[in-house]
Amino acid sequence: MTQNHLTWVMVLSVITLLAIIGFDGWSGHFLHEGFGPSENTSHLPNITIIATGGTIAGATSSPEKTTDYKAGVLQIEEVIRSVEDQLRGVANVYVDQFSNIDSININSSFATNLSQHIAEELNKEATQGVVVTTGTHSLAYLAEFISLVVTSKKPIVVTGARRPHGSLGADGPSNLVAAVTTAATRGWSSENHNVVIVIQDKVMAPRGTKKEDDQFLPGPRSLLGDVKDSKPFLRWLPGPCAPVKFNISSIPPGTSLPRVELLPAHQDFDADLVEAAIGLGAKGLVMVTYGGGYWPETSALQIKKLTDENGVIVILANQGQSEYVANARSGFGIPGGD
């Protein structure tokens, strides 16, 4: 199973984790100099850029080095500085440097803290929208997580870059302008239908979007529109990402979330792997099935026994996007619908 096939399986891991907990590092917030509201700009929306690091904040030793660089080095103000003229007149831009890390180091605790922080920002009456900058390795996963746990009707736009700032063909500045413009555009965002990814001149819903061969590819029904001249042109509006939102507002910062393990089916799968995962403290399992929910019969009964006895939640997922798991065909687990 390739990494690309795991895109929605990883998302289901998050959903499983959130189902277990139940549903129902900020460095300051300041106005970027030159973008504050004035008599001439008071009519513009107030958009907060919450920066977390990634390639968009990456530094390279020379312009031609587009792969040999360190992510999460520059402050987001430096990226903004290169597009000040383009942002002026679009929005009153505020900057919030939440973190500055490589996205390969983002974990569930980080995603939880960030989502809580986004919710706090959107609860401010003066804030009309948020742009989140992050690394592209986990961008789609992070955007999906945010869409599942942040309840708001205000827009949340997630963006990043494939090439570091200052390199030849650096795409971070243009992606940032497009993201801020999208967040400042009225009419597309509504209650619980408010999170989009803007990158590579596309506007995409998080669900179904994946990164493959350094390109972001929309999944079924997730391409919402295009970006032309840094402005969004939407053909579709974001739909609901899930029937319910998960309430994480009461989780203390830094809390370790329940452990969820990912286990793919194969011809010699042994229930001992499930027993080992439970022994290591797993409270949830995402089982990657054959086809539309099939599992080897030799281990299915033992898996059901182990998970039932230990109260472990099991979500059944499919490897790709071409077939949905709508039934628990082997007698255990909850069909994940993916």
Side-chain angles (χ1 to χ4, degrees), residues 7 11 136 138-145 197 206 209-211 216:
T7 301
V11 169
T136 57
S138 58
L139 187 150
Y141 308 141
L142 183 62
E144 175 75 357
F145 186 97
I197 295 169
T209 298
K210 63 179 180 178
K211 183 182 179 184
F216 276 86

Side-chain angles (χ1 to χ4, degrees), residues 34-245:
F35 286 94
S38 65
E39 291 183 3
N40 295 328
T41 64
S42 59
H43 64 287
L44 297 176
N46 298 321
I47 303 298
T48 299
I49 299 174
I50 300 179
T52 70
T55 297
I56 194 170
T60 181
S61 58
S62 60
E64 66 273 11
K65 290 189 175 182
T66 59
T67 58
D68 183 14
Y69 63 92
K70 184 172 178 58
V73 173
L74 305 176
Q75 298 290 298
I76 195 62
E77 295 98 313
E78 189 163 344
V79 182
I80 292 175
R81 200 171 294 124
S82 64
V83 289
E84 285 186 352
D85 291 341
Q86 288 77 13
L87 289 176
R88 207 178 305 277
V90 172
N92 298 312
V93 177
Y94 293 77
V95 177
D96 182 350
Q97 190 74 50
F98 180 83
S99 67
N100 214 358
I101 63 173
D102 192 317
S103 65
I104 61 174
N105 296 316
I106 289 179
N107 56 25
S108 58
S109 294
F110 180 96
T112 299
N113 294 341
L114 174 63
S115 297
Q116 290 173 331
H117 186 66
I118 293 170
E120 291 173 2
E121 181 63 33
L122 291 175
N123 284 335
K124 297 176 181 177
E125 185 177 353
T127 301
Q128 274 84 56
V130 160
V131 170
V132 178
T133 61
T134 188
T136 57
H137 285 302
S138 58
L139 187 150
Y141 308 141
L142 183 62
E144 175 75 357
F145 186 97
I146 293 168
S147 73
L148 289 170
V149 300
V150 177
T151 300
S152 178
K153 63 181 179 181
K154 298 178 181 179
I156 303 171
V157 181
V158 185
T159 193
R162 294 181 301 152
R163 295 189 174 189
H165 191 67
S167 68
L168 295 174
D171 55 325
S174 61
N175 288 338
L176 188 59
V177 172
V180 171
T181 305
T182 301
T185 300
R186 299 176 181 177
W188 65 265
S189 176
S190 61
E191 190 77 32
N192 298 335
H193 303 178
N194 62 323
V195 182
V196 297
I197 295 169
V198 172
I199 197 167
Q200 294 176 328
D201 292 331
K202 299 185 185 77
V203 182
M204 296 167 283
R207 191 169 183 81
T209 298
K210 63 179 180 178
K211 183 182 179 184
E212 182 176 311
D213 296 330
D214 207 29
Q215 299 286 327
F216 276 86
L217 304 177
R221 298 178 297 279
S222 61
L223 180 61
L224 304 177
D226 302 302
V227 174
K228 299 181 185 298
D229 298 327
S230 298
K231 298 180 179 65
F233 289 83
L234 298 179
R235 295 187 291 273
W236 308 98
L237 296 178
C241 60
V244 294
K245 289 274 189 172

Side-chain angles (χ1 to χ4, degrees), residues 263 268-279 299 302-303 306:
L263 297 173
D268 293 318
F269 188 95
D270 196 300
D272 288 349
L273 293 173
V274 172
E275 187 172 13
I278 294 173
S299 58
Q302 185 63 14
I303 291 172
L306 286 168

